[in-house]
Amino acid sequence: MIFSVIVPVHNAEKYIKEMMDCIIPQLGREGMDAELILIENGSTDGSGAICDQYAENNPFVYCYHYGKIGAYAARKEGIKKSVGQWLIFADADDLLVDTAIEDICRGLTDASIAHKPFDIILYNAATDRNLSKRKFNFPFEENKVYYGAGKDSFYKVMCEGDSLNAMWNKCVKRDLAIEVLIDDKDMFLNYGEDLLQTAAFLDKARGIVYLDKILYIYRPNEKGLTGGYHIEYLSNQETAWNKFDSYVKKWGGDRFVTTVDRRKSLTCSIAIAKLIYSDQSFGIKLSELKNIIGSDFYRKYSQMPLPDWAPEESVQVHKLQLKNGASRLLILEGMKYSARKTVKRTIKKK
């Protein structure tokens, strides 16, 4: 079998049908040797039943239920269940373009790289708000195999920004994924999991190829597993960053440390923003803000400058974090946000 498409699923009832309807026709094409593996990860909506229905109606679709094991472990279970030579990763609330698998297949057999060892194909993506605009401005040449010292350009991009983090725009050789699994330790992660899995794959890959095509459509979903505020967000991210530090040291010694520390500062600001701009009650916002600000990770990194590419929302929150009386200012900002939402809802009802 050539391809295994792996999709972790958690509370994606609103989105899963569209994802399935773009993947299944591609896998069902004559001559396509592929499977679709759905890893149902503790959904509380109708996602599990929907996945079971697709598995029942399509001989190349398989659904496995594990309970809420976390996105990191769910993807790992999908790798274990796969039998394809190449693994394509996708999230349940996104989309693959109609020709994605066909284009990846052509990329794998391109004459210019066919006889060179490589384990990862990276491709570009777009958002559902602008389907023709590339989401990432990658500095890589198309159809060139980056190996040995040449992988340093990937390490640099990985350390300096988040454009390489996601697993959903990569096709990975199963042999590499299994090799990474052997060295991997079980952990419950819903946040930062892409950072760790991508880093491990890049580190061990014999070669990496970039396919300069938009093959994936990312759909922002604040109600998804990684959207909105979740109590374990910062602790998960701390676990991921602590482990990522070993790659940073291996790839560049002290070369990327300051840059990565700025990204950790951004993580702190994102955690605060997710909390104060959430629909949580005032009491929860107050207690969670206290927990975040009191954490060792926050104390160590939150006062550092943000990366130049930090989102505007994070920049504004970070400015409040640096002021005297930051806790009071941040909770006040959260109260203002809640008040504005209440006014908007009231006006809508009228």
Side-chain angles (χ1 to χ4, degrees):
M1 182 169 289
I2 300 175
F3 294 114
S4 294
V5 182
I6 298 172
V7 182
V9 179
H10 178 82
N11 288 352
E13 182 179 46
K14 180 181 175 183
Y15 300 92
I16 188 70
K17 185 178 186 301
E18 290 178 83
M19 172 55 96
M20 294 301 98
D21 289 349
C22 76
I23 294 180
I24 287 177
Q26 297 186 56
L27 300 186
R29 286 176 186 161
E30 186 176 351
M32 179 59 72
D33 189 15
E35 64 178 356
L36 171 59
I37 299 174
L38 304 171
I39 303 295
E40 201 285 305
N41 172 27
S43 298
T44 55
D45 63 3
S47 297
I50 294 171
C51 291
D52 286 338
Q53 191 65 50
Y54 276 104
E56 184 178 331
N57 294 338
N58 299 276
F60 50 83
V61 178
Y62 304 90
C63 179
Y64 302 94
H65 299 261
Y66 285 92
K68 193 175 180 181
I69 58 175
Y72 187 81
R75 195 176 287 127
K76 284 169 54 179
E77 292 301 328
I79 293 170
K80 293 176 187 176
K81 294 291 186 183
S82 67
V83 296
Q85 293 172 276
W86 290 89
L87 310 180
I88 297 172
F89 299 96
D91 287 350
D93 46 9
D94 295 330
L95 301 169
L96 283 174
V97 302
D98 293 341
T99 61
I101 297 177
E102 186 178 339
D103 285 333
I104 292 170
C105 193
R106 274 199 291 265
L108 289 172
T109 57
D110 185 274
S112 64
I113 62 173
H115 302 295
K116 298 176 182 177
F118 61 93
D119 298 308
I120 298 174
I121 286 192
L122 167 73
Y123 36 92
N124 222 306
T127 69
D128 59 346
R129 293 164 189 168
N130 192 338
L131 300 177
S132 62
K133 182 180 178 182
R134 282 166 172 74
K135 181 174 172 62
F136 305 115
N137 185 27
F138 290 128
F140 312 123
E141 294 180 37
E142 185 171 33
N143 290 343
K144 171 184 175 180
V145 179
Y146 290 81
Y147 60 92
K151 290 200 305 178
D152 185 70
S153 55
F154 279 82
Y155 300 153
K156 186 174 186 293
V157 172
M158 188 74 187
C159 290
E160 292 183 348
D162 61 1
S163 61
L164 270 177
N165 282 20
M167 283 296 299
W168 42 249
N169 63 338
K170 298 171 184 69
C171 176
V172 177
K173 198 163 191 178
R174 186 176 185 274
D175 289 348
L176 170 65
I178 294 299
E179 182 182 352
V180 169
L181 278 180
I182 291 173
D183 296 334
D184 200 7
K185 293 182 179 179
D186 289 333
M187 63 181 93
F188 183 95
L189 282 183
N190 281 323
Y191 312 95
E193 81 287 353
D194 278 359
L195 177 77
L196 284 190
Q197 288 179 320
T198 295
F201 287 152
L202 293 181
D203 185 64
K204 287 185 177 290
R206 293 172 301 165
I208 307 165
V209 173
Y210 175 53
L211 186 60
D212 190 25
K213 292 180 182 292
I214 294 174
L215 301 185
Y216 194 89
I217 308 300
Y218 173 73
R219 298 195 287 181
N221 174 19
E222 281 303 308
K223 294 185 178 179
L225 188 63
T226 58
Y229 178 73
H230 297 270
I231 192 170
E232 70 269 24
Y233 175 80
L234 192 61
S235 62
N236 277 198
Q237 290 283 5
E238 180 178 1
T239 298
W241 281 119
N242 286 343
K243 188 167 182 179
F244 185 71
D245 282 342
S246 63
Y247 292 110
V248 174
K249 186 175 180 63
K250 180 179 179 181
W251 295 340
D254 295 332
R255 182 162 56 122
F256 301 122
V257 170
T258 299
T259 303
V260 171
D261 283 352
R262 287 190 173 202
R263 291 184 63 191
K264 293 173 184 176
S265 180
L266 176 58
T267 294
C268 294
S269 296
I270 291 173
I272 294 288
K274 280 178 174 286
L275 174 62
I276 65 176
Y277 297 132
S278 72
D279 292 329
Q280 300 290 339
S281 68
F282 172 76
I284 291 177
K285 286 184 180 182
L286 195 61
S287 63
E288 282 302 298
L289 184 63
K290 183 178 179 181
N291 289 336
I292 291 173
I293 291 177
S295 70
D296 292 339
F297 185 84
Y298 186 90
R299 288 175 177 171
K300 185 173 182 178
Y301 298 109
S302 64
Q303 303 299 297
M304 292 182 176
L306 298 183
D308 294 337
W309 48 267
E312 183 60 29
E313 181 181 82
S314 298
V315 172
Q316 294 305 317
V317 168
H318 190 255
K319 287 178 181 177
L320 295 178
Q321 292 173 250
L322 297 179
K323 291 184 177 182
N324 291 330
S327 297
R328 180 181 62 83
L329 293 173
L330 289 167
I331 202 65
L332 182 61
E333 177 69 11
M335 291 171 66
K336 289 178 181 176
Y337 169 81
S338 298
R340 288 195 296 268
K341 287 204 71 174
T342 300
V343 169
K344 285 181 181 179
R345 280 196 297 265
T346 303
I347 293 173
K348 249 185 173 181
K349 287 179 181 178
K350 292 182 178 179

